[in-house]
Amino acid sequence: MVLALLVATPLRAQTGSASDVMARAERAYRDLEFDVAASTLRRVLAPPLAAELDDSARARALAYLGAAEHYRGQSDSAIAVFRRLVELAPEAQPDTLVFPPEVTDLYHTVRRSMTVVAVRPRPDTVPARTPPPPPPPPPPPPPVAPVQARRPAQAEAGAPVSVTVTVAGLITNVRTGSIAATAAGFESSVQFRRVALAVRYAEGGHDLVEGSVALRFMPTSWFSLQAGPHARRYTTLSGPERLVTWRLGGRGDFALVGSSVRGHAMLWRALALAVNVPPGSGSGSATGGEVGVTLDLGPRPVWFALAYGIDQAQVKAASWRANVNTLTLTAGIRRR
């Protein structure tokens, strides 16, 4: 018995209380580590940590778990979690300051589908009943149990941080005032928590070559900022034209149909501009935008995207202007 207590004490300190584990789960969610957040939240909602949570804390954990499952692409699990949340606290709802509209909309859809069942047990005319007392604590484990239970706790503390890698092929159609060309290429990105690095390259007819590098920062799961160089070169009847811009922009992502069909909109502005016509760099301006839709094939890592973009650039001193329209089809795979 003494040996069990001595071993269980450091194990308890390593594992942490329910509030500590919940804080780690929320931190993982904010860092876009949805796999880690989901596994940690399921742990805090299971015995013995679940006995330390009151109804409000349990509802908060379920809201985070439903959102994490949604962003993991597990729509059925997200719906099941939100059903549990409605049954536990029909009047509660995910905080709109924490969760984006696609999560709160999914919750309200689930709630509407079971409003009658969820609200009937708790009408306003019936006084709230005192919850039953908690069950007595379990007896202390045998001496060998803490040694066997130490491994999961250590595995969680040293759990690998997920890195998301995306590789895709693309076909883009580029139209300017002087050419219309089709190019093929690739794009790839590596994401670690809130930061991602993306690379894109394509080439095709009319000596069209296009490439970009972008560093992205995602303060939330539905909005990102990005910055980096973009270059495009093609040949017209009057000779080659080359445009290099250093872009700063923002992109918003939103759900269209569940978690499988998503849309996005992006706007950017050039911080610097270089063209191969006089007077050259720093004498013009460029802006642009893009809208698109992405189809994610559920548990499979395959996705397809279609995007339409418009770029406008001008050099006032040289009376040079370029309006570029692009239509891009992308197919890729995503691995965590």
Side-chain angles (χ1 to χ4, degrees):
M1 176 66 75
V2 175
L3 178 60
L5 293 175
L6 291 176
V7 177
T9 299
L11 176 63
R12 178 65 174 174
Q14 180 182 11
T15 302
S17 64
S19 60
D20 295 335
V21 178
M22 183 65 192
R24 291 201 297 269
E26 293 181 13
R27 184 165 57 250
Y29 178 87
R30 291 193 299 269
D31 290 337
L32 309 182
E33 295 289 335
F34 299 121
D35 293 336
V36 176
S39 62
T40 307
L41 287 163
R42 291 192 180 279
R43 177 170 169 264
V44 79
L45 287 167
L49 294 178
E52 302 179 26
L53 301 177
D54 56 17
D55 284 350
S56 62
R58 190 174 293 107
R60 181 179 178 85
L62 288 171
Y64 271 97
L65 179 57
E69 293 290 10
H70 170 76
Y71 287 118
R72 293 177 66 225
Q74 305 295 327
S75 58
D76 292 341
S77 296
I79 292 173
V81 171
F82 283 145
R83 285 183 178 273
R84 289 176 57 189
L85 176 57
V86 174
E87 293 171 355
L88 173 67
E91 297 81 10
Q93 61 179 346
D95 189 349
T96 55
L97 298 178
V98 176
F99 303 102
E102 62 187 276
V103 173
T104 56
D105 289 347
L106 177 60
Y107 167 79
H108 287 299
T109 300
V110 173
R111 188 178 187 275
R112 283 193 297 268
S113 69
M114 54 184 302
T115 298
V116 175
V117 177
V119 174
R120 184 177 297 171
R122 295 188 178 185
D124 295 336
T125 57
V126 179
R129 292 179 293 181
T130 303
V144 295
V147 178
Q148 296 176 352
R150 184 185 298 269
R151 294 179 181 176
Q154 292 176 345
E156 180 185 348
V161 177
S162 65
V163 175
T164 302
V165 179
T166 301
V167 179
L170 63 89
I171 298 176
T172 183
N173 181 264
V174 178
R175 292 180 178 271
T176 70
S178 54
I179 70 161
T182 300
F186 72 91
E187 67 178 31
S188 180
S189 66
V190 178
Q191 177 181 336
F192 174 72
R193 294 187 175 178
R194 295 175 181 265
V195 179
L197 180 66
V199 179
R200 176 171 172 168
Y201 178 83
E203 60 179 58
H206 290 273
D207 297 326
L208 173 63
V209 178
E210 183 174 8
S212 65
V213 178
L215 181 64
R216 298 172 180 166
F217 173 70
M218 289 148 283
T220 72
S221 57
W222 56 273
F223 179 75
S224 62
L225 297 170
Q226 62 182 46
H230 179 279
R232 182 185 290 123
R233 181 193 183 280
Y234 50 86
T235 301
T236 67
L237 294 177
S238 58
E241 291 187 5
R242 182 181 66 253
L243 172 65
V244 180
T245 53
W246 286 85
R247 300 180 175 182
L248 175 64
R251 167 171 166 157
D253 291 82
F254 48 90
L256 294 177
V257 180
S259 60
S260 59
V261 182
R262 299 173 59 84
H264 75 265
M266 178 177 64
L267 294 174
W268 61 266
R269 185 174 184 85
L271 301 178
L273 169 68
V275 297
N276 62 335
V277 295
S281 304
S283 57
S285 62
T287 58
E290 180 184 273
V291 293
V293 61
T294 300
L295 172 63
D296 198 329
L297 299 184
R300 292 187 290 271
V302 181
W303 56 273
F304 300 91
L306 183 66
Y308 175 73
I310 299 177
D311 301 356
Q312 295 181 341
Q314 63 178 350
V315 178
K316 298 179 181 179
S319 299
W320 179 89
R321 180 187 298 268
N323 295 319
V324 182
N325 300 307
T326 60
L327 183 65
T328 306
L329 176 64
T330 310
I333 58 175
R334 182 182 295 109
R335 292 289 186 182
R336 294 181 181 271

